[in-house]
Amino acid sequence: MKKRIAVLISGSGSNLQAVIDAIDAGMINAEIVLVISNKADAYGITRAQKAGIPTLLLQHTHSPSRTDFDLAMLDHLEQQRVDLVVLAGFMRILSAEFVRHFCGRMLNIHPSLLPKYKGLHTHQRAIEAGDAEHGCSVHFVTAQLDDGPVALQAIVPVTATDTEQLLQQKVHKREHIAYPKVIAWFCADHLRCSDNKLYLNDELLPANGFKLAFDAQN
Ligand code: GAR
């Protein structure tokens, strides 16, 4: 049966677009039933509307507290009987209650090879550290920021000529391959999170997840 997905965004929504395209191409057995943005000017809202997906603008600035905001979101997600919550550039820390509610069925993508560089400015930090490799991680969400069991990491080599912007573009491109892949696993019931460990087709994944090696074509 098709899974019911909600995507939470705050910005451009290029990862949302990648998921929309992967569903259209038949790569993910799911339907996006709701896109929630906490920012009125998020271009992702336009992307969702163009694809005919219901959108909801929930501005946290209008909520008295983090808990109130999260409970309002939770209400909408429950009304839609969502199987999977996809955080796609949703730049807001979620309350422990919200995270617990969607334990094992909420994914995030982060632009670093976790556990390195949680938080912001990940590309600049990788360059400054002289890392040979950078990339992105898709992980299940736990109460800590940019934490939780990693399903997949996509590697991007760092070259001497990389600027923050260039590296960000390269990682972004990889994100658009990595995220739909993991979502497709989840929606096909191939990916399971149990006791903070991940199983892909019943095989335990390593701590840093499935490794998607660099492919210059992509
Ligand atoms: C992506 O690069 C994603 O990895 C990052 O926000 C960007 C959203 O881009 N997420 C985080 O940093 C989460 N900690 P998009 O709006 O074009 O999908």
Side-chain angles (χ1 to χ4, degrees), residues 143-202:
Q144 268 70 44
L145 176 73
D146 298 327
D147 201 21
V150 174
L152 179 147
Q153 291 191 322
I155 312 293
V156 173
V158 183
T159 65
T161 52
D162 273 336
T163 59
E164 180 181 18
Q165 202 190 6
L166 274 175
L167 193 53
Q168 185 198 7
Q169 284 166 5
K170 285 201 254 178
V171 172
H172 233 152
K173 234 171 141 187
R174 303 289 286 156
E175 291 185 18
H176 302 155
I177 296 165
Y179 218 178
K181 197 175 180 66
V182 176
I183 293 167
W185 289 343
F186 183 93
C187 292
D189 291 321
H190 291 168
L191 182 66
R192 185 165 56 83
C193 181
S194 164
D195 267 348
N196 249 18
K197 291 195 177 67
L198 296 187
Y199 298 84
L200 181 60
N201 295 318
D202 290 325

Side-chain angles (χ1 to χ4, degrees), residues 3-10 15-20 23 28 30-32 34-37 73 77 82-91 94 98 102 105-109 138-141 179-180 182-184 186-187:
K3 298 270 195 253
R4 297 172 64 81
I5 297 181
V7 184
L8 274 48
I9 58 164
S10 303
N15 279 288
L16 163 66
Q17 189 66 56
V19 178
I20 292 171
I23 291 174
I28 301 175
E31 180 188 356
I32 302 178
L34 184 62
V35 168
I36 299 180
S37 173
M73 262 200 316
L77 296 171
V82 162
D83 298 304
L84 176 68
V85 177
V86 170
L87 306 182
F90 187 67
M91 303 310 266
L94 295 162
F98 187 90
F102 290 105
R105 46 196 189 110
M106 179 154 59
L107 291 169
N108 182 41
I109 189 156
V138 180
H139 65 95
F140 281 87
V141 178
Y179 218 178
V182 176
I183 293 167
F186 183 93
C187 292

